[in-house]
């Protein structure tokens, strides 16, 4: 069964450093998402992406964040200058097309900012 | 924005008993309500979903009921098994259109005791 994959599974970085989290969505999916989950809290929407542009973003997704689909398979989340409060689990999700509802989540990347 | 409340935060049942988790939401325009199961160290996995034109949906031991008037929906797991132990999240589509930005509840830690 096709699945969303994410790399790395864990990332430790120093405050102020840039990190790039990578996702490979399910191959025929066209709609992509990033969510984050701070330890012990609920999953929060960050951004949705379709047709090579951001469809919607939350107030969390400020100028320090950016997303990109650099090629036909990868979907990345970049945090330009990490802060301590960026420490969280970051989940990528994808869905087939605008008319479909079901989002499939990846296993997540645990980011720790020191 | 959308507000999703989920109860209880923890639930412990004996194997074979039923478990019920409830969620309320605030945006009457929401029309898609998925439930996700998250096992330790993994991403959320969709287990069942319901749309606003349906009042109840069942899939083997799992069922979801929706009351649009009262703006609440519930997950019912019958004949619980130890492998049902996980964190369960309700979610609501809160963007309308095709974005399907999900707003999640805080999660319920379900423990099924053998």
């Amino acid at each position: 069964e096709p699945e969303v994959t994410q790399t790395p599974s864990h990332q430790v970085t120093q405050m102020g450093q840039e990190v790039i989290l990578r996702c490979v969505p399910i191959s025929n999916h066209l709609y992509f998402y990033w969510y984050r989950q701070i330890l012990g809290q609920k999953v929060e929407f960050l951004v949705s992406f379709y047709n090579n542009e951001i469809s919607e973003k939350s107030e969390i997704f400020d100028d320090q964040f950016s997303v990109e689909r650099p090629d036909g398979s990868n979907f990345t989340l970049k945090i330009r200058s990490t802060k301590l409060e960026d420490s969280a689990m970051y989940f990528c999700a994808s869905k087939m097309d605008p008319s479909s509802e079901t989002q499939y989540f990846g296993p997540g990347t645990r980011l720790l900012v020191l | 924005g959308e507000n999703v409340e989920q109860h209880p935060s923890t639930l412990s049942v004996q194997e074979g008993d039923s478990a019920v988790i409830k969620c309320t939401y605030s945006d009457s325009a929401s029309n898609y309500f998925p439930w996700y199961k998250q096992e330790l160290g993994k991403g959320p996995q969709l287990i069942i979903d319901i749309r606003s034109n349906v009042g109840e949906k069942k899939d083997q031991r799992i069922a979801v009921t929706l009351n649009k008037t009262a703006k609440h929906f519930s997950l019912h797991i019958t004949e619980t098994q130890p492998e049902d132990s996980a964190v369960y999240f309700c979610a609501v589509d809160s963007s309308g259109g095709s974005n399907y930005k999900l707003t999640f509840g805080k999660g319920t830690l379900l423990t099924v005791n053998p």
Side-chain angles (χ1 to χ4, degrees):
Chain A
E1 185 178 319
E3 56 186 20
V4 177
T5 59
Q6 290 184 242
T7 54
S9 57
H10 295 79
Q11 174 95 46
V12 180
T13 190
Q14 295 292 323
M15 190 169 58
Q17 295 296 303
E18 174 184 286
V19 294
I20 296 176
L21 309 183
R22 291 183 168 78
C23 169
V24 178
I26 295 174
S27 62
N28 60 342
H29 285 192
L30 301 176
Y31 232 108
F32 314 119
Y33 303 82
W34 283 101
Y35 292 82
R36 80 170 185 192
Q37 184 180 32
I38 294 172
L39 189 64
Q41 298 187 25
K42 61 180 171 180
V43 179
E44 300 173 289
F45 169 80
L46 291 178
V47 65
S48 59
F49 189 88
Y50 172 69
N51 205 23
N52 282 319
E53 62 182 21
I54 290 174
S55 305
E56 189 168 354
K57 59 183 181 179
S58 71
E59 57 272 15
I60 302 168
F61 194 88
D62 61 23
D63 291 345
Q64 293 300 313
F65 291 87
S66 62
V67 288
E68 193 179 31
R69 187 149 164 86
D71 53 44
S73 60
N74 288 283
F75 177 53
T76 62
L77 174 70
K78 182 192 290 186
I79 309 175
R80 203 178 341 270
S81 177
T82 49
K83 305 191 248 325
L84 296 176
E85 54 265 37
D86 293 328
S87 296
M89 193 76 158
Y90 288 82
F91 293 108
C92 173
S94 70
K95 73 182 180 92
M96 190 176 293
D97 55 45
S99 65
S100 61
E101 294 153 327
T102 304
Q103 294 181 33
Y104 296 87
F105 282 74
T109 292
R110 183 168 294 285
L111 176 65
L112 178 60
V113 182
L114 302 176
Chain B
E2 177 72 87
N3 184 41
V4 179
E5 298 288 337
Q6 182 173 346
H7 298 281
S9 56
T10 61
L11 179 59
S12 182
V13 299
Q14 288 300 122
E15 184 176 359
D17 288 351
S18 295
V20 180
I21 303 170
K22 299 180 179 181
C23 284
T24 60
Y25 61 98
S26 58
D27 186 356
S28 56
S30 297
N31 56 16
Y32 174 65
F33 310 90
W35 284 90
Y36 284 84
K37 176 183 181 182
Q38 186 179 27
E39 295 174 322
L40 198 62
K42 297 184 179 180
Q45 299 296 310
L46 179 74
I47 55 171
I48 196 167
D49 56 15
I50 193 167
R51 290 153 187 83
S52 58
N53 58 346
V54 175
E56 184 174 355
K57 182 177 177 180
K58 190 171 181 180
D59 181 4
Q60 298 183 338
R61 296 187 297 110
I62 296 172
V64 56
T65 58
L66 170 66
N67 183 327
K68 276 223 80 177
T69 304
K71 289 187 280 190
H72 70 69
F73 58 113
S74 300
L75 176 72
H76 303 253
I77 306 174
T78 58
E79 299 171 35
T80 52
Q81 300 165 4
E83 51 265 38
D84 294 329
S85 296
V87 179
Y88 291 81
F89 291 97
C90 64
V92 176
D93 157 45
S94 51
S95 63
S98 59
N99 276 340
Y100 290 97
K101 175 185 78 173
L102 295 178
T103 299
F104 283 80
K106 287 189 174 180
T108 296
L109 174 61
L110 173 65
T111 304
V112 180
N113 302 300

